[in-house]
Structures are given as C-alpha cells and as structure tokens.
Amino acid sequence: PTRASAAANPAASGDADDPLAPPAKSDAQREQEMMFEEMSLKGAEKVAKMDVPERAKRAMLAEAVEDRIFALTDELDRFVRQDGSVAVENRDEAVVIAKKIKGLQGQYRDLVNGNPSSVLDALEKGGFA
C-alpha cells in the first residue's frame, strides 16, 4: 500500500512496528470477511423489516458466530502448508475444523438473512432471549 492508502486505512498498512495496528489478516480471513459481507447484503432488506429486539438478537449472535469462524479459520491456517496442502498427520483434525466452519457459516447465513435460526431458537428456548 502507498502512504496515502495506509493513512486512509491504517489496517492496510500492516505496520509491524505500530503496536496499535491490527494484526495482518490471512487470505482465508479476507475471504471470510467477503463472504460475511455478501451474506449480510442479501438479507438486509428482510432483516430491516424485523422489530428492533429481533434484529439486535440476530446481530449479536451473528457477531459471536463470526468471531468463532475467525478463530477456527486461524486454527485451520496453522495446518495449511505454504503450498496449500495439509500434512497427513493433521488431515483428520483439519477436516473436523473445516466442517465446523462450514456449519457455522450456515448458522451465520440464517441469522443475517432473516431465516429461521437454530441458534436463535435454542437461545430463546433456553430462556436467554
């Protein structure tokens, strides 16, 4: 990035010397962020028609699911080699993590698209919402 773009967007600078700069994002994290944006845009109109408490619950849950996806993505990134492969001894654990991410992506999609959500249902049935 140029100095101008770094000044306009400090996160783009990736300045390792700046203790306040956010850590650089992996390619997988950037892909996840793009997916989150696309899903949110697709459901924005439907969610906007919901009452405020419903929207707030969905937003908070979606944020928690998003955080978990990022944590699992970081975990999965540890197993991926430079060439994109995964060592045989790590493959089973990597597959389990990838399946968790896929499931969480579905939960996120339901929350931000205004669809019925098993996470929201469980929360409400448990007396938490």
Side-chain angles (χ1 to χ4, degrees), residues 23 27-28 88 112:
D27 289 341
V88 173
V112 300

Coordinates of all heavy atoms in Angstrom, one line a residue, residues 23 27-28 88 112:
P23 N -3.5 -6.9 13.6 CA -2.6 -7.9 13.0 C -3.0 -8.1 11.5 O -4.2 -7.9 11.2 CB -2.9 -9.2 13.8 CG -4.2 -8.9 14.6 CD -4.3 -7.4 14.7
D27 N -5.3 -14.7 4.0 CA -6.1 -14.7 2.8 C -7.5 -15.4 3.2 O -8.5 -15.0 2.8 CB -5.5 -15.5 1.7 CG -4.3 -14.8 1.1 OD1 -4.2 -13.6 1.2 OD2 -3.5 -15.5 0.4
A28 N -7.4 -16.4 4.1 CA -8.6 -17.1 4.5 C -9.6 -16.1 5.3 O -10.8 -16.1 5.1 CB -8.3 -18.3 5.3
V88 N -0.4 -35.2 6.3 CA -1.3 -36.4 6.5 C -1.6 -36.5 8.0 O -2.8 -36.8 8.3 CB -0.6 -37.7 6.0 CG1 -1.4 -38.9 6.4 CG2 -0.4 -37.6 4.5
V112 N -28.2 -13.6 9.4 CA -28.2 -12.4 8.7 C -29.2 -12.3 7.5 O -29.5 -11.2 7.0 CB -26.8 -12.0 8.2 CG1 -25.8 -11.9 9.4 CG2 -26.3 -13.0 7.2

